[in-house]
Amino acid sequence: MPDKPVSLPGAPSPPRGLGVVAPFDFALDRELWRWIPDGVSLHVTRTPYVPVEVSLDLARLISEHETLGDAVRTLTAVAPEVVAYACTSGSFVGGIVGERAMCEAMSRAGAVPAITTSGALLEALVELDVRRVALVTPYTVSVTRALERYVARAGVTVTGCAYMGLTRHIWKVTYREVVDMARQAVRDRPGTADALFLSCTNLPTYDVIPQLEAELRIPVISANQVTMWAALRRLGTRAVGPYQALIDASARPGTVTPGQAPTVLPGQAAPGPVLPDAPGEKQQEGWT
């Protein structure tokens, strides 16, 4: 008996492409995907390895225009519609003028719109009407100071800053440590910050954002979050981030009574408590 012909559907529509250039030590690919809606695909490439610890020197090396151009060109075969440079320190180390020049260099290399994490940060601060911001960084004091200067030159006041002093293995920082540093950044001057920024694309943040927003009662934004939010806006679509004020307008201050459980939308799970990750390396902590 001849086999019955199998009826196959047509080929699926190709997803829209979002190209990501990340530093060589980037380890949070999966976190980026959590902000991506159906119908969009990430295409991630990395800068070449250099034997330098996280520092201003490394930030400069991985943000050279030639390095970025080469990385963007590796993505042209898959034709992304926008390219994002997912590195905070690498995109603020040259200041606001340097960040704009990086975007121009990437756009020339790939003939597509380009953004950076630090440029996306400034966009997010405007979106949320933030004039005063508290900062959390995993960096050394010198890198942290460079971020403070970058934000200040954009006309935003830094109200407090907690830093970890790390030069490697930032992706191993636990959620519990992120929460502790966030509290420290706003502790001495409560009520003065309009928002809190968790810097570094290698710092895990997705699950702690809504929990910190509920506790601190201000928007909490992170490096990976603003990068994906801004890049997806260029595609005319929205990032996926339930209960995150930047992405979900219902989560912005004044829309939920303190202590009231957020409304759970159909098909969404209620957010759980913040739980510590597996123990990481002992961290150095600082306060500025």
Side-chain angles (χ1 to χ4, degrees):
M1 183 176 178
D3 293 336
K4 183 178 180 180
V6 177
S7 177
L8 296 175
S13 299
R16 305 184 69 185
L18 195 169
V20 176
V21 176
F24 64 88
D25 63 346
F26 180 70
L28 299 183
D29 304 59
R30 185 177 183 277
E31 175 161 291
L32 292 184
W33 275 99
R34 298 182 72 182
W35 277 288
I36 302 301
D38 291 341
V40 176
S41 185
L42 287 182
H43 308 303
V44 183
T45 191
R46 284 167 170 75
T47 60
Y49 170 76
V50 289
V52 179
E53 293 184 326
V54 176
S55 60
L56 289 175
D57 287 339
L58 178 62
R60 295 186 185 100
L61 284 171
I62 60 176
S63 61
E64 292 177 345
H65 290 188
E66 182 178 356
T67 298
L68 295 178
D70 289 345
V72 169
R73 280 186 284 273
T74 67
L75 296 169
T76 55
V78 292
E81 296 180 49
V82 63
V83 173
Y85 178 45
C87 180
T88 323
S89 61
S91 54
F92 68 60
V93 68
I96 292 175
V97 172
E99 188 277 333
R100 291 172 181 165
M102 291 170 63
C103 291
E104 292 172 1
M106 289 190 294
S107 291
R108 286 195 302 270
V112 291
I115 68 156
T116 74
T117 297
S118 294
L121 164 62
L122 300 188
E123 283 188 40
L125 295 178
V126 171
E127 172 73 14
L128 296 169
D129 194 26
V130 172
R131 311 294 176 84
R132 302 167 301 174
V133 67
L135 305 175
V136 166
T137 91
Y139 312 131
T140 61
V141 63
S142 60
V143 182
T144 300
R145 291 280 191 253
L147 173 60
E148 291 177 331
R149 290 192 295 270
Y150 177 82
V151 171
R153 286 169 184 162
V156 177
T157 300
V158 176
T159 61
C161 180
Y163 65 95
M164 298 180 182
L166 301 181
T167 58
R168 61 191 181 96
H169 295 170
I170 291 172
W171 71 88
K172 295 183 179 180
V173 173
T174 65
Y175 275 162
R176 180 63 63 190
E177 289 167 311
V178 173
V179 169
D180 289 345
M181 295 299 285
R183 290 168 176 161
Q184 184 180 351
V186 300
R187 180 177 58 198
D188 286 357
R189 300 183 66 188
T192 60
D194 300 321
L196 172 71
F197 175 56
L198 308 173
S199 189
C200 189
T201 54
N202 240 353
L203 191 70
T205 59
Y206 188 95
D207 294 303
V208 301
I209 290 173
Q211 313 302 331
L212 283 172
E213 288 184 333
E215 176 182 336
L216 303 177
R217 299 179 65 182
I218 55 175
V220 175
I221 55 179
S222 78
N224 282 331
Q225 181 205 45
V226 299
T227 305
M228 294 298 96
W229 167 80
L232 289 164
R233 288 219 300 183
R234 301 310 194 274
L235 292 179
T237 188
R238 295 178 57 188
V240 178
Y243 318 115
Q244 298 179 18
L246 178 62
I247 295 165
D248 181 356
S250 68
R252 296 183 183 182
T255 59
V256 177
T257 302
Q260 175 184 345
T263 302
V264 179
L265 302 177
Q268 292 179 345
V274 174
L275 299 175
D277 291 332
E281 296 184 343
K282 183 178 181 181
Q283 311 297 335
Q284 300 175 5
E285 296 184 0
W287 167 258
T288 153

